[in-house]
Amino acid sequence: MTSAGDRTVELRRRIAVAPADAEAHFLAAVANPSQSEGYGRAAMLGPDLAPAWSNWGTVLRSRGLLSDALRAYRRAFVLYPSAAEILVNLADAVQSGGRPTAAEIPIRRALAANPLHPTALRVDGLVLHGRDRLLAGTIRFRQALCLAPDVAQTHLDLGNARQDQGEPVAAERCYLRALAIVPRYAEAYSNMLFSLCFREDIGPEELFRRHRGFDRVFGHPAGVVRHRPDPRRSEE
């Protein structure tokens, strides 16, 4: 059986022999996540390689380059319009840019292709949440958690929905579950602190104590994390 190290060496040799081998660059990036630039090289060298474009979009998005990520996702979609994973990535990027209505078509197609795709269900929850359909979004987040209960981001999203429904106690439980999975999840911690401001049973001293706890963990004060698109923003 070929080890991961042997596979990496083999791919490096393959790239050395044929530097324009798009598939080799793609596989090298898959084999070694620290070499994520390989997805970009694969996309440039193999413009018809849909998975490379999709993965490169995810890399760009992780760097905060949402517009570039959207272009990569759209290219992947054109090449492979029925792939659930590509549709989910596209819909998630579109809704995160404050355009939940525009994200509806790709996320509906993704769920049609795979109704039990937990990430698709989570993203559909975000789309519904962004359109002020909070209860429907909450149901989607719960469905996603039934299929993938250890995804911290889904617990965060559910907490945000519960908070926006005026349920800060329920929201706190969701944020705590997210933090149990990812202890240094700054967004979950920040949003939990925000939800505590709406609790009548939490006084100023307790709020101060909790904020100091955030300072100790992250080394800076907690900020306000916006978790919904601004409803005043147009969707042109």
Side-chain angles (χ1 to χ4, degrees):
M1 181 180 294
T2 304
S3 69
D6 291 341
R7 179 63 171 156
T8 299
V9 170
E10 176 188 336
L11 287 166
R12 284 176 180 167
R13 288 173 179 165
R14 182 173 161 182
I15 291 169
V17 172
D21 187 337
E23 183 184 51
H25 285 286
F26 174 78
L27 293 175
V30 172
N32 189 349
S34 67
Q35 302 299 317
S36 59
E37 290 290 336
Y39 293 127
R41 285 191 289 272
M44 296 300 106
L45 293 168
D48 294 335
L49 195 58
W53 282 106
S54 185
N55 288 12
W56 182 232
T58 300
V59 172
L60 292 170
R61 189 175 174 194
S62 72
R63 297 174 181 175
L65 302 172
L66 184 60
S67 296
D68 292 334
L70 276 168
R71 282 192 286 271
Y73 288 142
R74 284 174 178 142
R75 176 62 180 168
F77 169 71
V78 168
L79 294 169
Y80 197 172
S82 62
E85 201 68 35
I86 290 172
L87 288 162
V88 170
N89 287 339
L90 176 59
D92 195 14
V94 170
Q95 70 79 26
S96 72
R99 302 178 62 208
T101 301
E104 279 196 298
I105 292 176
I107 200 59
R108 295 289 176 269
R109 289 181 179 173
L111 286 168
N114 185 354
L116 298 179
H117 193 304
T119 306
L121 290 166
R122 182 187 67 78
V123 172
D124 193 30
L126 291 172
V127 170
L128 292 164
H129 191 181
R131 300 197 66 198
D132 288 323
R133 297 177 60 189
L134 302 183
L135 181 58
T138 296
I139 291 170
R140 281 303 203 212
F141 295 139
R142 291 191 182 283
Q143 290 172 333
L145 286 170
C146 285
L147 296 167
D150 295 328
V151 177
Q153 188 172 358
T154 311
H155 288 286
L156 168 72
D157 295 333
L158 179 58
N160 294 341
R162 300 301 293 272
Q163 174 61 34
D164 284 347
Q165 291 176 76
E167 302 176 34
V169 175
E172 183 187 15
R173 288 197 296 268
C174 296
Y175 297 138
L176 287 172
R177 290 190 185 107
L179 288 164
I181 298 166
V182 181
R184 293 182 60 84
Y185 198 167
E187 187 174 354
Y189 207 142
S190 292
N191 287 10
M192 181 177 68
L193 292 175
F194 176 74
S195 74
L196 295 179
C197 296
F198 298 87
R199 294 269 299 276
E200 294 182 358
D201 58 325
I202 302 292
E205 296 82 3
E206 178 63 12
L207 274 176
F208 179 76
R209 188 184 69 80
R210 299 276 193 110
H211 274 269
R212 289 297 300 274
F214 184 98
D215 295 349
R216 285 193 296 271
V217 173
F218 297 100
H220 59 82
V224 176
V225 179
R226 187 168 189 85
H227 55 261
R228 300 185 63 201
D230 189 334
R232 296 167 296 181
R233 181 173 177 172
S234 66
E235 290 206 30
E236 65 276 354

